């Protein structure tokens, strides 16, 4: 019996276990219910009782050894298979997948460019809240109560008494600046504004403006014109011309709308400029003395000019974008076109 055990032990060690079928043969031959080790266990009954204990122990360790060889071989085969699969899946000759970098939003690019242009002539940047009160949005800007000019700007009110609202223009920041700082003031104020309007290719309920304010002694309309000539040429190119059209705003007197030569047809006339050769980019004027006064600045001593322009409008002109809604749809096919523009 002991000899038989030794023989089986030797054979078991010599058995080849290099693939799945050899492994299976091994399992059946040694570990199966009718395998050789099971046979030996059956024969244990014939062993003399005084030897049975020892022989039983040897048989048990043989059984464990068979299990051990089987487990090791099985693990090796499995990891070799995984290694092969990994090698096949990884093709070192493939080009690397490029990192897809995000791009700046065209409105951010243009806002930054506007700010830089004005910073070069001594303007700083100011900001104010988007949730405003009646005073900063209307009253301080010389909109009389119940005046129809208030209806020009379809307002989102935040309170039933109409005292709290979402600002309809960035002119609110002018007021905040004049209330808190002494002239000379030279500031550019970009920001988001809200109007209760239906969304279309040309209008949106949320858009961006940039306000400019210059208050000092002896500021004149000539300063306003030169500043905006400079801006238009820097922004749109040296050939760009600016035209001022008389207009009305409660907070400026005199007031003018700012037009530039149509960039699409270079002034020849096309459907973007409705065949006039000119497109409007904003409003401007000399700050009304009543506005200076209500913000705590003496109109006898100081004068100032102000302007407000739409950032969407400027962006559309600069990049020839025909539909305002593209700015908020987040379509990467649109946004990616601004890659590389700094
Ligand atoms: N706040 C005006 C608007 O939203 C634009 C504007 C016009 C701003 C004239 C000004 C200005 O500062 O002087 O329509």
């Amino acid at each position: 019996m002991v000899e038989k055990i030794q023989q089986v032990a030797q054979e078991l060690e010599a058995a080849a276990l290099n693939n799945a079928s050899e492994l299976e043969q091994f399992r059946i031959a040694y570990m199966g219910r009718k395998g050789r080790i099971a046979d030996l266990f059956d024969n244990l009954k014939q062993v003399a009782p005084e030897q049975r204990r020892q022989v039983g122990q040897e048989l048990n360790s043989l059984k464990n050894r068979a299990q051990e060889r089987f487990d090791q071989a099985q693990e090796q085969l499995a990891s070799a298979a995984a290694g092969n699969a990994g090698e096949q899946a990884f093709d070192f000759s493939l080009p690397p997948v490029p990192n897809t970098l995000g791009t700046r939003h065209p409105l951010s690019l243009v806002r930054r460019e506007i700010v830089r242009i004005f910073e070069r002539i001594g303007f700083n940047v100011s900001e104010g809240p988007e949730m405003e009160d009646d005073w900063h949005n209307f009253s301080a800007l010389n909109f009389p109560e119940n005046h129809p000019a208030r209806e020009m700007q379809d307002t989102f009110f935040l309170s039933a008494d109409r005292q709290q609202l979402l600002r309809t223009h960035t002119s609110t920041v002018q007021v905040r600046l004049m209330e808190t700082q002494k002239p000379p003031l030279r500031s550019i104020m970009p920001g988001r504004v809200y109007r209760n309007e239906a969304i279309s290719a040309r209008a949106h309920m949320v858009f961006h403006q940039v306000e400019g304010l210059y208050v000092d002694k002896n500021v004149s309309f000539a300063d306003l014109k030169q500043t905006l000539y400079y801006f238009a040429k820097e922004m749109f190119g040296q050939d760009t011309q600016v035209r001022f059209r008389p207009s009305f705003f409660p907070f400026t007197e005199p007031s003018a709308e700012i037009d530039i030569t149509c960039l699409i047809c270079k002034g020849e006339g096309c459907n973007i400029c409705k065949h006039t050769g000119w497109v409007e980019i904003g409003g401007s004027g000399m700050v009304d003395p009543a506005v200076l006064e209500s913000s705590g600045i003496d109109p006898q001593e100081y004068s100032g000019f102000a302007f407000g322009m739409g950032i969407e409008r400027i962006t559309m002109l600069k990049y020839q974008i025909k539909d305002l809604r593209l700015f908020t749809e987040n379509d990467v096919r649109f946004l990616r076109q601004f890659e590389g523009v700094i």
Side-chain angles (χ1 to χ4, degrees):
M1 178 76 182
V2 176
E3 267 169 36
K4 268 194 189 163
I5 294 177
Q6 276 169 2
Q7 196 192 338
V8 172
Q10 275 169 17
E11 283 176 24
L12 185 150
E13 293 302 332
L17 289 173
N18 297 321
N19 55 47
S21 82
E22 284 176 357
L23 199 67
E24 183 61 5
Q25 276 167 23
F26 180 91
R27 192 186 65 75
I28 295 166
Y30 295 98
M31 302 157 75
R33 259 196 285 154
K34 291 182 179 150
R36 304 181 59 181
I37 297 177
D39 267 0
L40 290 171
F41 271 107
D42 285 345
N43 293 343
L44 200 56
K45 289 174 230 129
Q46 294 153 23
V47 174
E50 60 276 16
Q51 290 178 359
R52 207 175 281 162
R53 191 180 141 87
Q54 206 210 326
V55 174
Q57 274 173 1
E58 276 177 38
L59 259 182
N60 266 329
S61 55
L62 182 69
K63 186 183 161 195
N64 289 342
R65 177 64 192 144
Q67 184 72 45
E68 199 176 54
R69 274 217 76 194
F70 179 85
D71 289 346
Q72 274 172 3
Q74 192 179 43
E75 205 173 297
Q76 267 168 19
L77 282 177
S79 68
N84 285 341
E87 245 165 63
Q88 274 161 17
F90 198 86
D91 180 351
F92 285 97
S93 67
L94 284 175
V97 180
N99 279 342
T100 43
L101 278 183
T103 56
R104 283 186 202 279
H105 194 280
L107 293 175
S108 301
L109 291 169
V110 168
R111 180 187 56 202
R112 198 162 62 156
E113 196 171 343
I114 296 171
V115 165
R116 283 187 179 166
I117 291 171
F118 282 102
E119 276 176 347
R120 290 206 284 276
I121 54 168
F123 281 70
N124 64 7
V125 177
S126 305
E127 286 183 340
E130 292 173 22
M131 287 193 281
E132 265 294 4
D133 48 33
D134 175 276
W135 171 256
H136 291 98
N137 200 78
F138 291 126
S139 299
L141 288 164
N142 206 29
F143 284 83
E145 222 153 302
N146 303 320
H147 192 278
R150 291 187 181 221
E151 306 303 320
M152 270 165 52
Q153 309 196 344
D154 297 307
T155 311
F156 283 116
F157 291 100
L158 299 172
S159 63
D161 64 3
R162 300 192 153 211
Q163 287 306 300
Q164 302 298 319
L165 46 87
L166 293 176
R167 68 180 177 193
T168 60
H169 52 183
T170 43
S171 304
T172 54
V173 192
Q174 279 188 38
V175 178
R176 290 186 173 270
L177 204 65
M178 290 190 282
E179 282 174 342
T180 53
Q181 294 180 28
K182 295 266 151 285
L185 301 174
R186 226 182 292 167
S187 201
I188 188 94
M189 298 154 256
R192 191 152 47 188
V193 299
Y194 300 83
R195 301 235 180 132
N196 191 356
E197 279 185 47
I199 296 171
S200 72
R202 299 177 58 91
H204 208 290
M205 53 200 269
V206 185
F207 57 102
H208 299 79
Q209 289 187 333
V210 57
E211 193 80 11
L213 177 72
Y214 188 175
V215 180
D216 202 351
K217 289 178 178 154
N218 302 318
V219 176
S220 72
F221 203 91
D223 297 319
L224 168 63
K225 286 173 77 175
Q226 284 307 325
T227 304
L228 289 169
Y229 288 160
Y230 157 79
F231 167 73
K233 288 180 196 299
E234 292 292 305
M235 188 75 201
F236 300 110
Q238 295 302 312
D239 300 340
T240 315
Q241 291 184 21
V242 180
R243 151 179 113 163
F244 289 85
R245 246 177 324 109
S247 186
F248 169 79
F249 300 101
F251 35 93
T252 42
E253 183 59 37
S255 305
E257 255 151 311
I258 315 157
D259 293 347
I260 61 164
T261 37
C262 179
L263 299 167
I264 316 256
C265 62
K266 306 273 174 243
E268 304 262 301
C270 67
N271 48 8
I272 298 293
C273 60
K274 301 198 193 98
H275 301 282
T276 62
W278 296 92
V279 280
E280 187 203 317
I281 59 165
S284 66
M286 299 306 293
V287 182
D288 194 301
V291 174
L292 292 174
E293 204 159 346
S294 55
S295 307
I297 290 177
D298 182 1
Q300 302 296 325
E301 197 181 348
Y302 293 104
S303 57
F305 69 72
F307 57 86
M309 300 183 290
I311 299 183
E312 276 80 355
R313 173 61 72 88
I314 291 173
T315 311
M316 289 169 94
L317 287 171
K318 193 168 166 82
Y319 294 115
Q320 309 191 359
I321 298 163
K322 299 212 173 73
D323 192 327
L324 197 68
R325 289 169 291 198
L326 284 165
F327 291 128
T328 42
E329 279 168 356
N330 278 340
D331 184 335
V332 288
R333 290 170 301 179
F334 171 70
L335 297 173
R336 284 229 179 95
Q337 294 180 45
F338 300 89
E339 247 164 341
V341 184
I342 313 160

